[in-house]
Amino acid sequence: MENTLINTHVKLLAFDFNTLTPLPSDSSLFSRTASPTPLSRAETLGLITSRDLKPNKFLRFTIDDGTGCISCILWLNHLSSPYFSRRDPADVRRMAEVADALACVVQVGVVARVRGKISLFRGVVQITVTDVGVERDPNAEILHWLQCVKLARKCYDVLPCSSSQVDGNCSGTSITSPVAHKWMDADKLST
Amino acid sequence: MASPAISFGALVTLKELTSTSPHFKEGASLRVTGKLQDYNVETAIAIINDGAATLQVDTQHLKINFRISSIYQFIGELHIDSPEEAVLKARVGRNVDGIDLNLYYQSLKLLQEFQSDQIRKQDA
């Protein structure tokens, strides 16, 4: 039961994400201070505040969600890395095209939703990006904060975590604002 | 774990940003939201407000088409000339017309409560 979040993109606020520590038994898995549940993937949403492009190598960028900054890396080396040499060349070309398209989306000043694997680089936890989407709704970030708070309190901090909780269908929220409920219910309907 | 090198913009409302606020410090990285009251094309100084509270924002590094009465959000560093005069040197900015400001302020309170709870738990 403790492994139920391993393949879930957990929605974490940056201040929480930056305290993740690798498990001694498996460095590809991480845990939060508040809960020992192993995590491997994360989702964040915030303003992109820096962008460092190394063409055909990688794009490193930073997401600021108001509680901290999360470092993200998008690999762009599919056509030169030996890591992909055993894969079908057509698949690798397609992966490279997708990564290039995602890199174009990442611009300083836009609000983006980023999903990917949690990894560690020079002692800093980061997201190795698999997906980026621009959020144009000015309220998207607020909804993300509320979802992070609700999920942390009702799912991530609660052990054992059932699959229905992971899907975000937790009941009995402790958020008392009726406006917040309106937004959370709207989100539940859209998923 | 170490944190990324870039400072994040702490969420603060213009009403909170008085000379007695813990955020009112030289070089503090802040994220502010307000309605554009005035914009000087020559100096690139924008004045945003939230009710009676106002703040000057230096937008010289931004490429934004400003519209009076639109709502903008900026991340930058605070520079204090005097207790009555501070300028936020913006490094990031965006138009947030359509934002539900009541929801934003309520959510900010919830977020700050949650953060305090989590930090208390981590320290315990």
Side-chain angles (χ1 to χ4, degrees):
Chain A
M1 287 301 278
E2 279 191 27
N3 292 341
T4 48
L5 292 176
I6 277 190
N7 290 316
T8 302
H9 286 102
V10 290
K11 294 186 181 195
L12 294 180
L13 293 163
F15 85 94
D16 204 358
F17 180 89
N18 287 325
T19 63
L20 291 176
T21 47
L23 297 187
S25 55
D26 184 346
S27 59
S28 68
L29 298 176
F30 293 77
S31 68
R32 296 166 62 236
T33 320
S35 161
T37 309
L39 311 171
S40 69
R41 295 165 202 272
E43 175 178 321
T44 183
L45 189 149
L47 259 165
I48 296 174
T49 54
S50 76
R51 181 181 195 272
D52 177 20
L53 176 67
K54 299 277 184 255
N56 301 318
K57 290 183 179 170
F58 61 81
L59 171 68
R60 181 169 286 287
F61 60 99
T62 310
I63 291 261
D64 180 334
D65 73 356
T67 70
C69 283
I70 294 181
S71 183
C72 302
I73 183 152
L74 172 63
W75 288 105
L76 303 171
N77 62 348
H78 300 79
L79 301 178
S80 58
S81 167
Y83 181 79
F84 297 100
S85 59
R86 290 187 183 176
R87 305 279 290 266
D88 181 341
D91 288 348
V92 176
R93 268 198 305 277
R94 181 74 193 121
M95 287 163 74
E97 284 168 14
V98 170
D100 287 343
L102 293 179
C104 293
V105 163
V106 174
Q107 299 294 336
V108 171
V110 304
V111 171
R113 184 184 298 278
V114 174
R115 294 191 189 98
K117 277 181 72 84
I118 305 164
S119 54
L120 198 62
F121 178 67
R122 292 181 180 165
V124 178
V125 268
Q126 61 176 11
I127 295 180
T128 301
V129 178
T130 52
D131 187 32
V132 184
V134 170
E135 289 288 349
R136 292 188 172 81
D137 183 343
N139 295 297
E141 208 176 7
I142 303 171
L143 180 57
H144 176 74
W145 295 339
L146 297 177
Q147 287 177 326
C148 286
V149 170
K150 182 179 178 181
L151 285 165
R153 284 191 170 144
K154 294 294 167 188
C155 295
Y156 306 154
D157 287 356
V158 179
L159 281 173
C161 188
S162 73
S163 56
S164 64
Q165 285 176 318
V166 175
D167 291 340
N169 295 325
C170 316
S171 57
T173 175
S174 59
I175 294 174
T176 51
S177 159
V179 189
H181 278 296
K182 180 185 82 179
W183 277 87
M184 287 187 176
D185 290 344
D187 179 59
K188 217 185 285 179
L189 290 172
S190 68
T191 51
Chain B
M1 289 291 110
S3 298
I6 293 178
S7 304
F8 74 98
L11 295 159
V12 61
T13 65
L14 295 186
K15 287 174 183 165
E16 287 170 348
L17 195 59
T18 59
S19 56
T20 55
S21 161
H23 294 292
F24 199 84
K25 284 187 297 198
E26 178 68 23
S29 294
L30 303 175
R31 185 196 297 212
V32 293
T33 306
K35 188 184 274 190
L36 186 68
Q37 180 181 304
D38 194 16
Y39 179 69
N40 185 322
V41 181
E42 285 178 11
T43 59
I45 296 286
I47 298 174
I48 56 168
N49 71 39
D50 175 10
T54 62
L55 179 69
Q56 292 189 67
V57 182
D58 182 345
T59 65
Q60 62 175 310
H61 299 302
L62 308 181
K63 288 178 189 165
I64 299 177
N65 291 322
F66 288 103
R67 277 197 307 268
I68 300 293
S69 295
S70 279
I71 303 171
Y72 292 89
Q73 190 167 70
F74 299 100
I75 297 178
E77 280 63 45
L78 196 67
H79 291 272
I80 300 168
D81 296 327
S82 69
E84 288 79 37
E85 195 160 323
V87 179
L88 186 87
K89 294 215 170 193
R91 50 185 157 91
V92 181
R94 63 175 181 136
N95 180 306
V96 287
D97 280 340
I99 193 169
D100 184 335
L101 281 174
N102 283 331
L103 178 63
Y104 179 76
Y105 295 133
Q106 283 188 60
S107 304
L108 219 56
K109 279 187 192 156
L110 289 168
L111 188 63
Q112 285 159 353
E113 281 170 25
F114 171 70
Q115 238 180 310
S116 307
D117 286 353
Q118 292 287 311
I119 290 166
R120 241 194 326 270
K121 269 190 208 170
Q122 286 169 12
D123 292 344

